[in-house]
């Protein structure tokens, strides 16, 4: 793992803050992939804003020397949306966990997808609540034994890929932390993509999830790029998004499920499309006087 | 329309919608008080009732004053239940007029307006010029139809000039509380308003939707949690932003409020109160969320709570809220209520030139030798912030407790001596802002009228207008009253407030059950106001009601 991570690093966007993750945590791989994507794209640090929620994975922004907000559990999407509204010149990246994205914050994710706001959302899906020491998450397998489901989880896992595609996300991909090079490409293309991108990453929690381990995933994942899948085909994408469920998690596709070019919210909004709000002049005295006249 | 026409003829107007239902079907009425002098609140009793349906007569009959005029449509309503009372009647076939002159039944309102203008002796030419102004955008046909219908109503009002009030010919503006507030924000550099619809805050959203442009936009988001967090994101990225809601939505915003407090994001939040907990009385007013606004969220952090007392303050305090938010990098809550939000009032044009924008401490220059300390320890508690996009001043804002850089001291480090000290210092830094505010801003205390009076009505926000008029009534009856009113509720300058209240005969007046202002006063100054006039039935308190109750209290002393 360590070797693979070193390999993907080029220009350094990292801060001197030491990540707090357990040794072997999948989030290290995600950290490396984001760093590689940023450096491949040659983005200026000061124009990148990384917004996270709360969870182990949400410590991500602190490991970078960009701008960022480490916000509330489940609320990174609205915060990131506000950032993008204010300054569409910034590259806005969301980073958080599965509880954050698909539990407490699911509503926001679906609306962001529908809105097609130009944000890249990287969800570190470890099928568990890591920071709170190992309760079931919305993506925990049925039957999974966790601290909050000692007799086995009764619920079936949520399908974020299918949800995002049907909600209107325009770039939907899945990566595996055990393959950071592949992930870096998906992150890079997600950032490049003009619209809402969801990149769900299998990012094993080595401390609290002994079911969905690196090995467990390695035996199951295969790459969509090598299977002839056409990511422009929405029906095919939806079909692929159901494959993990329908195969009983025997065949689990990773890679790009779906990509579509659709105007973003910023492209359509009559004010935002004129450029970053922060650069637009405020109403002039004449414009204000005219509004005042409405009340005469 | 009637309010605008009256204001154009130089009269003063106070309008208040007394509705039951916002959807079609309920009894809906609009009360307009017209006067030669500035009105500070809505008045009790009706001089002219325009009954567009039978409900209006049935429901309003007890509010009709002696000698009042009832304008009714003989084809739609009958006035039998009013017979035998000392009233005057104007039979006006509003529907027929509307159909004949325009073919549109809704235009019967305009016929009614024409009749009312006749009754109060406002010249028809003012009506015509007002209609022309208002509807020119909609085309000549609309203008001429309105004028025809209105003139017909005017002619048909049978009895002219039953009430004669004369304007001073000054063209006044009539504006609603929420519109004044929105305009205050708009004129002060607020570039984004984000909200989820909820009465009585929804009209702020509508206002921004109508006035989108000039570098200002708005967003209706999926819920109030999103509304406040979008606002925080926008503020963190460097623009002025605001969100607004009523109590139910504010309940959802509570966690976000704490986030703004912790990462020191300058945001403005409008909380327009309605009656009761839960869904309550959604279309009625109350001042019951004061303590909630002051204490919402876990933990402690500086915040400012303001409550506009009149239409001019809806504009001014909304404008000032942004300077305060930027100067002290904390959330500012504008406490409105249905009454303040929805009433309309005559005012002079707002003074846009008087707005001075102060964005507070902002760092622009990076020091290459050092990493930027966004949360630098300062004596006044305010640390220069950087605007994302500025090279060399990158930082991560942490909602966990953090050090000067924004790096977390939670999880891995909490409990270690060094970080215990960091928490203590950072907490003190943030909380020091309160002292700085009190020192630098001369606003955190109440205002007083008739300083040498024997008795004082003590109140805040939207109840101030009625209290001021109540004092006039009481003084005209030979009593000696002044008013002490608060527009800033948090923080409070306890010394100044105490000095003003101490040793005086005080009556607390509030539209809530638990006398929340009295509680605030007691906890800040130790002064316990025992005499209280409290109303919590959903209706705004009137000057007459306050005067009557105050008189009783004084007599029983
Ligand atoms: C409103 C709220 N509820 C609960 C919590 C406690 N909490 C913190 S992180 C977390 C779940 C973390 O799981 P996930 O989002 O999957 O992130 P991970 O730690 O697994 O990376 C919870 C429930 C919180 N911080 N805020
Ligand atoms: S608890 Fe799990 S998710 Fe959290 S840092 Fe450790 S391995 Fe990673
Ligand atoms: Mg998780």
């Amino acid at each position: 793992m360590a070797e693979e991570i070193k390999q993907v690093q080029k220009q350094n966007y990292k801060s001197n803050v030491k990540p707090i993750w357990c040794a072997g945590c999948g989030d290290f791989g995600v950290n490396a992939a984001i760093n590689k994507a940023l450096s491949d794209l040659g983005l200026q640090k000061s124009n990148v804003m990384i917004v996270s929620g709360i969870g182990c994975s949400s410590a991500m922004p602190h490991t970078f020397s960009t701008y960022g907000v480490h916000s509330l559990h489940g609320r990174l999407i609205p915060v990131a949306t506000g950032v993008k509204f204010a300054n569409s010149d910034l590259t806005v990246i969301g980073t958080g966990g599965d509880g954050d994205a698909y539990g407490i914050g699911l509503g926001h994710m679906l609306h962001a997808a529908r809105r097609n706001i130009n944000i890249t959302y990287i969800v570190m899906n470890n099928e568990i609540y890591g920071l709170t020491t190992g309760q079931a998450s919305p993506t925990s397998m049925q039957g999974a034994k966790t601290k909050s489901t000692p007799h086995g989880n009764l619920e079936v896992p949520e399908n974020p890929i299918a949800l995002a595609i049907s909600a209107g996300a325009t770039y939907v991909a899945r990566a595996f932390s055990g393959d950071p090079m592949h992930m870096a490409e998906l992150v890079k293309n997600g950032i490049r993509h003009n619209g809402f991108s969801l990149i769900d990453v299998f990012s094993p929690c080595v401390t609290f999830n002994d079911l969905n381990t690196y090995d467990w995933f390695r035996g199951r994942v295969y790459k969509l790029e090598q299977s002839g899948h056409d990511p422009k085909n929405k029906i095919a994408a939806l079909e692929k998004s159901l494959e993990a469920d329908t195969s009983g998690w025997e065949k689990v596709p990773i890679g790009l499920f779906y990509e579509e070019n659709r105007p973003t919210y910023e492209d359509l909004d009559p004010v935002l499309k004129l450029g970053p709000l922060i650069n637009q002049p405020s109403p002039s005295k004449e414009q204000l006087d005219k509004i005042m006249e409405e009340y005469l | 329309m009637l309010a605008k026409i009256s204001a154009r003829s130089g009269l003063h107007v106070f309008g208040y919608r007394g509705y039951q239902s916002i959807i079609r079907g309920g009894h809906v009425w609009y009360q307009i008080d017209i006067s030669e002098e500035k009105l500070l609140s809505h008045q009790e009793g009706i001089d002219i009732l325009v009954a567009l349906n039978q409900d209006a007569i049935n429901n309003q009959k007890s509010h009709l004053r002696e000698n009042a005029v009832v304008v009714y449509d003989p084809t739609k309503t009958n006035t039998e239940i009013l017979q035998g009372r000392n009233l005057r009647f104007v039979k006006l076939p509003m529907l027929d007029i509307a159909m004949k002159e325009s073919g549109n039944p809704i235009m019967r309102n305009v016929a009614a307006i024409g009749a009312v203008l006749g009754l109060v002796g406002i010249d028809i030419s003012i009506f015509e010029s007002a209609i022309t102004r208002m509807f020119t955008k909609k085309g000549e046909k609309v203008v001429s139809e309105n004028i025809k219908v209105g003139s017909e109503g005017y002619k048909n009002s049978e009895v002219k000039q039953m009430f004669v009030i004369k304007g001073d010919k000054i063209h006044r503006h009539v504006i609603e509380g929420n519109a004044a507030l929105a305009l205050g924000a708009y004129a002060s550099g607020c570039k984004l308003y984000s909200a989820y619809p909820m009465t009585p805050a929804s009209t702020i959203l509508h206002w921004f939707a109508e006035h989108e442009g000039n570098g200002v936009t708005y967003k209706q988001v999926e819920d109030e949690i999103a509304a406040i967090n979008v606002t925080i994101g926008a503020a963190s990225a460097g623009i002025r932003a605001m969100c607004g809601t009523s109590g139910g939505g504010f309940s959802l915003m509570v966690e976000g409020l704490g986030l703004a407090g912790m990462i020191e994001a300058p945001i403005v939040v409008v909380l327009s109160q309605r009656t009761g907990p839960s869904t309550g009385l959604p279309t009625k007013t109350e001042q019951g969320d004061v303590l909630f606004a002051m204490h919402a969220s876990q933990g402690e952090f500086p915040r400012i709570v303001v409550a506009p007392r009149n239409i001019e303050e809806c504009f001014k305090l909304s404008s000032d809220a942004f300077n305060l938010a930027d100067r002290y990098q904390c959330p500012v809550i504008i406490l409105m209520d249905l009454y303040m939000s929805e009433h309309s009032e005559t005012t002079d044009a707002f003074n846009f030139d008087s707005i001075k924008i102060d964005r507070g401490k902002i760092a622009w220059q990076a020091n290459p030798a050092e990493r930027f300390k966004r949360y630098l320890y300062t004596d006044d508690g305010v640390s220069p912030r950087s605007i994302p996009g500025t090279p060399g001043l990158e930082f991560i804002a942490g909602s966990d407790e953090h050090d000067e850089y924004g790096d977390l001291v939670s999880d891995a480090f909490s409990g270690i001596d060094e970080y215990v000290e960091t928490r203590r210092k950072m907490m003190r830094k943030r909380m020091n802002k309160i002292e700085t505010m009190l020192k630098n801003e001369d606003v955190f205390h109440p205002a007083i009228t008739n300083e040498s009076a024997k008795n004082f009505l003590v109140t805040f926000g939207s109840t101030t207008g009625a209290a001021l008029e109540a004092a006039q009534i009481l003084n005209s009856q030979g009593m000696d009253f002044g008013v002490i009113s608060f527009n800033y509720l948090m923080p409070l300058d306890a010394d100044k407030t105490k000095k003003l209240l101490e040793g005086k005969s005080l009556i607390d007046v509030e539209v809530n059950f638990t006398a929340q202002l009295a509680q605030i006063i007691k906890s800040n100054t130790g002064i316990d106001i025992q005499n209280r006039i409290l109303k919590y039935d959903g209706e705004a308190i009137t000057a007459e009601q306050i005067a009557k109750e105050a008189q009783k209290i004084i007599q029983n002393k």
Side-chain angles (χ1 to χ4, degrees):
Chain A
M1 255 316 276
E3 264 316 295
E4 282 169 300
I5 289 171
K6 238 185 236 137
Q7 225 187 323
V8 295
Q9 289 177 350
K10 262 179 25 198
Q11 192 189 327
N12 203 2
Y13 287 78
K14 296 224 183 128
S15 69
N16 56 8
V17 175
K18 227 178 98 221
I20 53 161
W21 301 309
C22 311
C25 175
D27 298 349
F28 282 104
V30 180
N31 176 269
I34 295 174
N35 191 46
K36 169 149 169 65
L38 292 176
S39 74
D40 282 0
L41 292 168
L43 295 171
Q44 200 180 322
K45 274 183 197 180
S46 55
N47 279 336
V48 177
M49 188 120 170
I50 305 179
V51 184
S52 68
I54 295 293
C56 294
S57 44
S58 285
M60 188 65 76
H62 294 280
T63 66
F64 288 101
S65 52
T66 62
Y67 281 98
V69 183
H70 183 177
S71 74
L72 297 171
H73 190 41
R75 312 305 166 203
L76 76 88
I77 281 289
V79 173
T81 301
V83 170
K84 198 71 192 174
F85 277 147
N87 188 351
S88 50
D89 273 355
L90 298 176
T91 295
V92 183
I93 299 170
T95 57
D98 45 324
D100 216 282
Y102 310 140
I104 193 166
L106 176 66
H108 301 309
M109 193 216 30
L110 299 179
H111 289 285
R114 207 163 61 78
R115 212 166 273 152
N116 199 28
I117 186 137
N118 188 7
I119 292 172
T120 307
Y121 191 9
I122 301 162
V123 179
M124 285 153 268
N125 182 358
N126 53 11
E127 296 83 15
I128 199 87
Y129 283 3
L131 189 66
T132 45
T133 70
Q135 300 84 1
S137 96
T139 50
S140 293
M141 302 284 133
Q142 190 169 38
K145 289 194 174 170
T146 71
K147 272 192 192 157
S148 61
T149 58
H151 309 297
N153 184 18
L154 301 179
E155 300 168 23
V156 296
E158 198 171 297
N159 187 332
I161 303 292
L163 282 173
I165 296 170
S166 49
T170 51
Y171 183 98
V172 182
R174 184 165 245 170
F176 171 40
S177 191
D179 191 346
M181 279 294 222
H182 178 244
M183 181 178 9
E185 277 309 297
L186 293 170
V187 171
K188 193 163 70 187
N189 291 332
I191 294 173
R192 271 205 197 112
H193 174 77
N194 186 34
F196 182 77
S197 318
L198 174 74
I199 301 156
D200 178 85
V201 184
F202 292 130
S203 179
C205 170
V206 295
T207 307
F208 296 112
N209 189 341
D210 49 19
L211 174 61
N212 310 102
T213 60
Y214 286 100
D215 283 344
W216 189 87
F217 283 112
R218 275 206 185 95
R220 288 167 165 80
V221 297
Y222 75 92
K223 287 182 184 152
L224 286 168
E225 295 78 24
Q226 293 161 9
S227 74
H229 170 63
D230 173 15
K232 300 275 177 207
N233 183 334
K234 197 165 189 170
I235 300 294
L238 274 169
E239 265 174 24
K240 281 289 172 200
S241 76
L242 299 174
E243 193 174 318
D245 290 337
T246 52
S247 69
W249 286 80
E250 288 308 316
K251 285 181 72 190
V252 182
I254 59 171
L256 181 60
F257 284 78
Y258 185 58
E259 184 171 20
E260 172 194 343
N261 286 322
R262 195 177 83 225
T264 63
Y265 190 86
E266 310 90 284
D267 295 335
L268 296 173
D269 183 277
V271 177
L272 296 180
K273 73 178 176 195
L274 303 177
L277 264 190
I278 194 165
N279 297 340
Q280 293 193 36
S282 288
S284 66
K285 175 80 168 53
E286 290 66 41
Q287 287 161 337
L288 294 169
D289 284 340
K290 206 159 150 239
I291 294 176
M292 195 72 226
E293 265 184 39
E294 291 170 24
Y295 300 98
L296 254 187
Chain B
M1 198 191 281
L2 180 58
K4 271 195 175 173
I5 294 164
S6 309
R8 263 189 92 72
S9 71
L11 291 162
H12 291 272
V13 169
F14 195 101
Y16 183 49
R17 186 195 310 273
Y19 52 13
Q20 218 160 39
S21 163
I22 23 186
I23 48 178
R24 271 155 216 249
H27 174 47
V28 178
W29 72 96
Y30 200 91
Q31 176 176 333
I32 301 175
D33 298 302
I34 304 173
S35 163
E36 291 168 6
E37 274 147 46
K38 172 93 175 158
L39 289 161
L40 307 177
S41 71
H42 71 303
Q43 312 294 307
E44 244 173 68
I46 299 171
D47 286 318
I48 302 176
L49 173 68
V50 178
L52 295 173
N53 56 32
Q54 193 64 38
D55 270 357
I57 291 180
N58 297 350
N59 292 333
Q60 301 295 347
K61 60 176 189 289
S62 60
H63 301 293
L64 291 168
R65 287 182 177 161
E66 272 299 280
N67 221 15
V69 178
V70 179
V71 182
Y72 71 103
D73 191 328
T75 64
K76 300 284 284 182
T77 47
N78 78 71
T79 54
E80 240 162 70
I81 52 166
L82 300 177
Q83 293 311 320
R85 287 181 55 181
N86 186 12
L87 299 168
R88 296 176 284 178
F89 294 93
V90 173
K91 220 191 285 176
L92 183 71
M94 296 176 248
L95 188 62
D96 289 351
I97 295 174
M99 293 311 285
K100 195 171 126 236
E101 303 296 339
S102 73
N104 181 356
I106 294 173
M107 294 284 276
R108 66 188 211 272
N109 298 338
V110 181
I113 289 171
V116 173
L117 295 175
L119 290 172
V120 299
I122 290 177
D123 202 89
I124 191 73
S125 65
I126 295 176
F127 168 76
E128 288 172 5
S129 68
I131 292 294
T132 310
R133 267 186 73 85
M134 271 185 239
F135 293 114
T136 299
K137 264 190 284 182
K138 295 192 176 163
E140 215 164 286
K141 184 157 172 281
V142 178
V143 173
S144 70
E145 274 175 10
N146 270 282
I147 290 179
K148 265 196 293 184
V149 175
S151 310
E152 218 33 50
Y154 193 84
K155 271 190 249 160
N156 271 269
S157 58
E158 289 179 5
V159 207
K160 290 276 182 312
Q161 307 203 353
M162 286 183 164
F163 302 87
V164 178
I165 38 180
K166 281 239 170 322
D168 57 13
K169 301 270 172 350
I170 294 171
H171 289 185
R172 294 198 166 79
H173 299 74
V174 191
I175 187 165
E176 284 192 4
N178 274 353
L181 179 150
L183 184 49
Y186 195 88
S188 306
C190 171
K191 301 183 106 9
L192 177 70
Y193 180 72
S194 127
Y196 185 82
M198 189 168 191
T199 305
S202 304
T203 49
I204 305 174
L205 177 64
H206 305 165
W207 193 95
F208 275 94
E210 267 169 44
H211 296 93
E212 178 183 42
N214 305 327
V216 183
T217 190
Y218 72 100
K219 182 71 197 130
Q220 177 183 334
V221 289
E222 56 270 27
D223 54 34
E224 288 86 351
I225 300 177
I228 192 167
N229 285 295
V230 162
T231 306
I232 291 168
S236 301
I239 65 166
R240 286 187 159 182
M242 176 167 87
C243 56
T245 183
S246 188
F250 190 76
S251 298
L252 297 187
M253 290 185 177
V254 167
E255 196 188 16
L257 203 67
L259 172 62
M262 193 60 155
I263 66 172
E264 307 191 39
I267 62 165
V268 177
V269 181
V270 184
L271 164 53
S272 184
Q273 307 158 94
R274 51 197 219 188
T275 315
S278 184
T279 312
L281 294 172
T283 58
K284 291 289 164 189
T285 200
E286 199 164 85
Q287 297 181 297
D289 302 348
V290 187
L291 293 172
F292 178 40
M294 291 170 61
H295 300 293
S297 170
Q298 72 272 28
E300 300 156 301
F301 57 90
R303 79 182 83 190
I304 294 171
V305 181
V306 304
R309 294 176 292 202
N310 53 46
I311 209 80
E312 288 83 4
E313 284 194 354
C314 288
F315 176 81
K316 170 106 186 13
L317 297 190
S318 149
S319 170
D320 291 348
F322 286 91
N323 280 347
L324 292 171
D326 270 340
R327 229 175 263 153
Y328 301 103
Q329 300 178 7
C330 72
V332 179
I333 299 166
I334 306 179
L335 197 61
M336 300 281 280
D337 49 43
L338 185 129
Y339 185 61
M340 188 49 68
S341 281
E342 296 201 337
H343 91 285
S344 55
E345 217 178 298
T346 25
T347 173
D348 297 334
F350 295 137
N351 185 356
F352 299 115
D353 294 324
S354 69
I355 296 175
K356 302 266 176 297
I357 290 181
D358 174 9
R359 296 298 318 259
K361 289 192 204 171
I362 297 181
W364 294 110
Q365 209 55 52
N367 175 358
E370 254 183 65
R371 194 176 152 211
F372 176 56
K373 288 182 171 170
R374 162 63 183 98
Y375 300 105
L376 183 75
Y377 298 132
T378 55
D379 289 338
D380 65 3
V382 185
S383 324
R385 66 194 181 111
S386 62
I387 306 296
T390 316
L393 296 175
E394 298 83 1
F395 71 97
I396 308 294
S399 69
D400 288 59
E401 188 56 280
H402 43 257
D403 61 15
E404 288 180 286
Y405 299 105
D407 297 342
L408 310 195
V409 301
S410 57
D411 296 335
F413 311 112
S414 49
I416 299 172
D417 284 352
E418 184 190 341
Y419 295 103
V420 171
E421 179 61 11
T422 304
R423 156 69 188 173
R424 223 166 53 80
K425 277 168 92 172
M426 192 51 72
M427 182 65 178
R428 216 167 40 206
K429 178 202 96 79
R430 278 192 303 267
M431 297 310 282
N432 275 351
K433 293 187 213 173
I434 298 174
E435 214 169 285
T436 309
M437 292 172 195
L438 291 173
K439 204 172 77 198
N440 293 353
E441 315 282 341
D442 186 22
V443 294
F444 298 107
H445 52 77
I448 187 164
T449 68
N450 198 11
E451 209 157 335
S452 59
K454 269 223 291 281
N455 306 292
F456 289 88
L457 300 169
V458 181
T459 193
F460 73 99
S462 68
T463 302
T464 306
L468 289 167
E469 287 180 344
Q472 284 169 18
I473 297 173
L474 289 160
N475 293 345
S476 73
Q477 294 168 352
M479 273 167 278
D480 190 11
F481 267 89
V483 173
I484 295 174
S485 68
F486 292 72
N487 56 356
Y488 279 80
L489 296 164
M490 193 178 205
L492 259 198
D493 187 323
D495 290 342
K496 274 190 191 158
T497 307
K498 191 172 178 183
K499 271 202 197 103
L500 206 67
L501 294 168
E502 225 166 16
K504 293 194 171 74
S505 156
L506 307 171
I507 300 175
D508 176 63
V509 187
E510 303 182 48
V511 179
N512 60 44
F513 191 91
T514 55
Q516 300 188 20
L517 176 65
Q519 293 184 49
I520 297 166
I521 291 171
K522 188 175 173 194
S523 69
N524 275 279
T525 67
I527 296 168
D528 189 3
I529 308 177
Q530 288 295 341
N531 292 315
R532 292 167 184 182
I533 301 172
L534 303 171
K535 194 171 195 285
Y536 38 83
D537 56 13
E539 303 300 332
I541 200 161
T542 62
E544 286 92 332
Q545 287 161 354
I546 298 173
K548 214 164 99 198
E549 292 301 314
Q551 203 169 20
K552 270 195 234 159
I553 290 171
I554 297 297
Q555 276 160 5
N556 289 341
K557 259 193 174 170

